[in-house]
Amino acid sequence: MERTLIKDLRSKIDQTVKISGWLQTLRDQKKIQFLILRDTTGLVQVAHWKPNDESLAEKISTLGAESAVSVIGKVIDNPVVKLNQLEIQLESLVVENAAESPLPFDPFAETLPTLDYRQDWRYMDLRRPVNYALFQIETTVEMAMREYWTKNNFIEIHSPKLTGSPSESGAELFSLDYFEQKAYLAQSPQFYKQMAMAAGFERIFEIGPVFRADPSFTSRHMTEFTGVDMEISWIDSHDDVMKVEENWLQYIYSRVKEVHGEQIKEHFGFELTVPTVPFPRIPMREAVEILKSRGYTLPADKKGDIDPGGEREIAAYVKEKFNHDFVFLTDWPVSVRPFYHMRLENDPTLTRSFDLIANGLEITTGAQREHRPDILAKQAIEKGLGLGPIQYYLDFFRYGCPPHGGFGLGLSRLMMVMLNLSNIREAVYLFRGPTRLTP
Ligand code: ATP
């Protein structure tokens, strides 16, 4: 018999159906057993009148919570049943996979174990409907990203993750043995998306894995994450890149609100706001002054940079002043930006770059890139890079490469800010950190 989803049961009143799912709870009474079954679309009550089949009753009474079962039964309209005002009168049951007991933890308990423990048993943690909703929303987010880009003539690339040289400083690089030589896991698709500009692709995007050998244990860093990158040609400045990003994000938020607005209210407890465009833009120099005027002291070692506390403080300022959740911090000092960021003509100590802060968290870095090979090489040397390993990259700019720029965004950081989550571990399917390689 074909499976019916729980959400479709109302259209099958008085029919015999098959449903498959997890046994969320069992109420084993004297004469009757109530099984609450869950599939990805909802919950339903299944009733078994014990005297009808004593041996089935016995089998059911030994079933552990979260067992995977299929049942066949008749759908009855019953206004007294709290769940959907219907129930299924059980005719037969197949135990597809019995759950051992006790469970590592009860995903439906009021108090959940620590996040770290739940990471050990991530597949149980993911059974919570809030997590199913999260990944449904993430699916829509990625669809919307692609929809926006393909409507606007972008093409998708997949660049290699095995590389022969670092794209920035070597600090956050995982290296591995590669036959007779060393290889590195790509810490961003930076060089390769710029190669697409040299190839004449004009507008590209990539969604793929990014690796960072960053030994930090923060609520927003992972050693492997999904990077969302784009690059566009023939731009006049980094403002052109910001314009694309804000319109793109507005589109993503509006699609998510359309499809999941109610689900977000139900599971995450708030109404999603679609951001207005343009997003506020604040040059870094001004941001530092704003922080000072609000009594926020940036750590001394962060010269020209901003720390997470500073990001939150600027976000608070932007919320008060512009009632906006997003802000582009622009024109970062050369000292805290990579060699390939183009510098401002009227102030070569600053770069044509930006970060996007969303609800107080950095989600993007972007810039116009330096596309003139002589200047690019000079900037690389200034930053202490040897030209040998990046010669192949410098060559991209030797035979006609348009002015270009782009950005990189962390998918899970976006999910974090969109759904108001406090830890990136809650926003990613499986977390990878300095001490976590399993499951
Ligand atoms: P941060 O300052 O937060 O460490 P970054 O400046 O190193 O980030 P970029 O190299 O500019 O980040 O990467 C672009 C985007 O990728 C970031 O804005 C962020 O959304 C995401 N990202 C960077 N590093 C990580 C990480 N370790 N884990 C998850 N996402 C990350």
Side-chain angles (χ1 to χ4, degrees), residues 23 26 28 33 55-65 67 95 98-99 101:
L23 174 65
L26 169 67
D28 205 346
Q33 291 167 318
S55 74
L56 178 58
E58 239 169 75
K59 184 159 106 180
I60 289 172
S61 64
T62 62
L63 263 184
S67 291
V95 180
S101 29

Side-chain angles (χ1 to χ4, degrees), residues 168 172 187-188 210-214 216 218-229 302 305-306 308 311 332 336-338 340-341 354-356 361-366 407-414 416 424 431-432:
E168 301 193 13
E172 295 191 330
Q187 66 194 130
S188 92
V210 171
F211 302 91
R212 302 273 168 101
D214 180 349
S216 60
T218 74
S219 56
R220 62 189 189 286
H221 286 99
M222 302 187 279
T223 49
E224 176 178 352
F225 64 92
T226 300
V228 179
D229 276 84
K302 284 267 169 190
D305 206 346
I306 188 167
E311 287 170 356
W332 290 66
V336 294
R337 292 311 228 201
Y340 52 80
H341 282 193
F354 65 89
D355 272 12
L356 177 61
L361 180 75
E362 180 207 316
I363 61 167
T364 293
T365 295
F407 66 75
L409 167 144
L411 179 62
S412 302
R413 291 235 185 138
L414 177 62
M416 251 179 108
I424 203 160
F431 172 73
R432 285 289 176 261

Side-chain angles (χ1 to χ4, degrees), residues 11 41 46 49 58 129 139 200 213 233 255 321 331 355 376 387 408 422 434 436:
S11 64
T41 68
V46 179
W49 184 245
E58 239 169 75
T139 304
S233 280
R255 285 294 292 142
K321 178 130 190 191
D331 307 353
D355 272 12
L376 189 58
L387 297 190
S422 58
R436 181 160 295 276

Side-chain angles (χ1 to χ4, degrees), residues 420-434:
N420 245 334
L421 306 171
S422 58
N423 198 311
I424 203 160
R425 291 162 183 76
E426 301 272 20
V428 67
Y429 180 63
L430 276 174
F431 172 73
R432 285 289 176 261

